[in-house]
């Protein structure tokens, strides 16, 4: 089979056929190795899954490419996606306490302002098109007018995903998704004294997590305008991360996913997992210009603060003053 001859030719580059470098593919196979694996069965399953993702193909086409029965291809794709989901933390996790300074310095570089040294993540949601189910069809219709599943993600200053939360239908508001995600409910991230950045679709919060959003337009004065400018420079890394992921798997993610909505979150999560594996192996990819078309504009917050939440407006004012150099950083 030509595709396997390519794999066994260690000098050949894989990117055109698999969208991954050989180094990233080897690391992926290592991360997904099971103790009970024998021979090269696991390698073949990972190759089949990544090839399917890379080309957005039907099970029948992948079956012919690898000379494997269609039913086996179906079983392999579902098994590998489930295995990735069960092992997400091997590639997607929050930084350790000793790594937070480096993350913060990355946001200083992105923003161009030392005031952002305590920023350790940017959060946003991206919508992935799906073919909606007959039941609850309208739940998946987002306010842009297409059917989707939402992927919420937090990334660091390099665009590496630190946390993902996938599966809510497209009609659900970003704020509601965040409030139901595990990092928020467990007050898991960021640590005390550190900050997340989000767009205007989120509330500005001090507790239970510190999340700072831009001032509403039109802004009141130069300090607010300047803060929004540098905030946007720092926060845009999350849009870039989504863009890189969607560009790499554009054959799958740039059109409606040809899988059931119950399986779609596993496919999307595996794309995020692979995005991190690629970054960790210096397999970089510039996002296409159209890669962020499905990243939706901010929605206005629809809910008042809950009893366990406190406003982050005062923290934002202090940060804005730091950005403009009106106060000294303590």
């Amino acid at each position: 089979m030509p595709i396997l001859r390519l794999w066994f030719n260690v000098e050949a580059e894989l990117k055109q056929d698999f969208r991954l470098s050989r180094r990233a593919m080897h690391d992926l196979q290592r991360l997904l190795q099971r103790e009970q694996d024998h021979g090269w069965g696991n390698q073949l399953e990972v190759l089949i899954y990544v090839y399917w993702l890379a080309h957005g193909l039907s099970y029948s086409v992948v079956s012919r490419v690898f000379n494997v029965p269609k039913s086996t291809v179906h079983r392999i794709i579902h098994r590998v996606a489930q295995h990735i989901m069960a092992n997400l933390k091997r590639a997607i996790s929050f930084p350790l306490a000793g790594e937070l300074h480096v993350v913060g310095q990355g946001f200083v570089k992105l923003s161009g302002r030392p005031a952002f040294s305590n920023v350790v993540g940017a959060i946003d949601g991206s919508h992935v098109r799906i073919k909606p189910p007959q039941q609850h069809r309208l739940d998946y219709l987002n306010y842009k007018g297409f059917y989707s599943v939402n992927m919420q993600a937090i990334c660091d200053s390099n665009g590496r995903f630190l946390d993902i939360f996938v599966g809510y239908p497209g009609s659900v508001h970003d704020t509601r998704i965040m409030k139901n995600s595990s990092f928020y409910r467990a007050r898991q991230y960021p640590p005390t004294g550190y900050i997340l950045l989000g767009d205007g679709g989120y509330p500005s919060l001090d507790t239970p997590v510190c999340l700072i959003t831009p001032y509403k337009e039109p802004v009141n004065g130069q300090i607010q305008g300047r803060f929004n400018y540098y905030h946007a420079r720092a926060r845009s890394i999350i849009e870039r991360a989504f863009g890189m992921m969607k560009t790499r798997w554009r054959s799958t993610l740039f059109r409606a996913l040809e899988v059931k909505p119950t399986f779609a979150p596993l496919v999307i999560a595996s794309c995020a997992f692979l995005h991190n594996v690629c970054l960790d192996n210096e397999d970089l990819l510039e996002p296409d210009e159209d890669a962020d078309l499905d990243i939706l504009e901010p929605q206005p917050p629809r809910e008042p603060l809950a009893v366990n939440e406190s406003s982050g407006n005062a923290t934002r004012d202090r940060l804005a003053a730091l950005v403009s150099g009106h106060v000294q950083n303590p």
Side-chain angles (χ1 to χ4, degrees):
M1 286 170 284
I3 195 69
L4 294 184
R5 285 202 299 271
L6 173 71
W7 168 248
F8 284 115
N9 178 4
V10 295
E11 301 297 324
E13 183 50 67
L14 303 178
K15 208 153 190 175
Q16 181 175 350
D17 289 277
F18 291 95
R19 306 293 287 167
L20 292 183
S21 68
R22 187 171 287 272
R23 175 179 164 183
M25 183 70 84
H26 279 301
D27 194 32
L28 174 64
Q29 291 174 337
R30 178 188 62 80
L31 288 169
L32 297 181
Q33 193 160 5
R34 305 179 185 94
E35 288 184 5
Q36 67 270 30
D37 285 334
H38 299 286
W40 77 293
N42 179 64
Q43 291 184 33
L44 178 61
E45 290 192 358
V46 172
L47 288 174
I48 288 173
Y49 185 73
V50 174
Y51 189 86
W52 175 74
L53 272 186
H55 297 280
L57 297 171
S58 68
Y59 297 148
S60 298
V61 174
V62 178
S63 168
R64 290 196 295 272
V65 169
F66 284 89
N67 195 23
V68 173
K70 179 181 173 182
S71 60
T72 303
V73 169
H74 178 275
R75 189 164 59 250
I76 285 172
I77 286 171
H78 280 254
R79 181 162 62 228
V80 174
Q82 289 163 357
H83 188 50
I84 290 175
M85 196 71 182
N87 290 276
L88 274 184
K89 291 188 182 300
R90 291 189 178 186
I92 302 175
S93 61
F94 291 119
L96 301 174
E99 300 168 336
L100 294 172
H101 175 75
V102 174
V103 178
Q105 289 306 303
F107 279 101
V108 168
K109 185 175 180 180
L110 283 174
S111 65
R113 282 292 186 269
F116 287 86
S117 62
N118 286 343
V119 173
V120 290
I123 184 172
D124 204 356
S126 183
H127 289 242
V128 177
R129 295 171 186 265
I130 65 163
K131 289 192 173 180
Q134 290 303 312
Q135 285 190 322
H136 311 296
R137 186 181 184 91
L138 288 180
D139 289 346
Y140 291 88
L141 185 65
N142 65 47
Y143 74 95
K144 273 298 192 70
F146 62 87
Y147 298 100
S148 66
V149 167
N150 191 300
M151 172 184 165
Q152 175 187 280
I154 300 171
C155 78
D156 67 11
S157 48
N158 294 315
R160 191 177 191 280
F161 294 126
L162 305 178
D163 183 72
I164 62 169
F165 186 57
V166 191
Y168 267 79
S171 67
V172 182
H173 190 275
D174 283 353
T175 301
R176 182 180 162 201
I177 294 171
M178 181 187 71
K179 290 182 179 183
N180 282 282
S181 59
S182 58
F183 96 92
Y184 179 92
R185 293 167 71 93
R187 305 185 182 197
Q188 192 175 2
Y189 197 78
T192 302
Y194 291 94
I195 295 168
L196 290 180
L197 300 181
D199 65 25
Y202 296 101
S204 193
L205 297 172
D206 251 352
T207 57
V209 299
C210 189
L211 170 62
I212 301 302
T213 61
Y215 290 100
K216 288 183 180 179
E217 300 286 348
V219 296
N220 182 18
Q222 291 185 353
I223 291 178
Q224 292 188 3
R226 195 175 291 118
F227 174 80
N228 279 9
Y229 170 76
Y230 290 108
H231 180 285
R233 285 185 54 168
R235 188 190 58 79
S236 65
I237 187 63
I238 184 64
E239 296 172 0
R240 180 175 172 78
F242 284 135
M244 287 190 287
M245 183 186 78
K246 288 190 172 185
T247 294
R248 189 177 297 274
W249 308 113
R250 63 178 302 126
S251 294
T252 294
L253 299 182
F254 269 41
R255 60 186 184 182
L257 276 177
E258 299 275 352
V259 299
K260 293 181 179 179
T262 52
F263 184 51
L266 276 72
V267 176
I268 298 164
S270 67
C271 290
F273 183 95
L274 290 165
H275 167 83
N276 277 10
V277 171
C278 289
L279 289 188
D280 292 346
N281 287 278
E282 299 179 354
D283 181 358
L284 307 179
L285 191 67
E286 287 297 314
D288 290 344
E289 290 182 3
D290 57 349
D292 63 349
L293 292 181
D294 292 343
I295 298 173
L296 307 186
E297 286 87 6
Q299 309 160 65
R302 297 177 183 172
E303 302 173 4
L305 295 182
V307 292
N308 67 322
E309 296 174 329
S310 62
S311 170
N313 290 350
T315 298
R316 181 173 58 194
D317 290 342
R318 288 193 297 271
L319 195 56
L322 281 171
V323 166
S324 292
H326 286 210
V327 296
Q328 293 296 314
N329 201 351

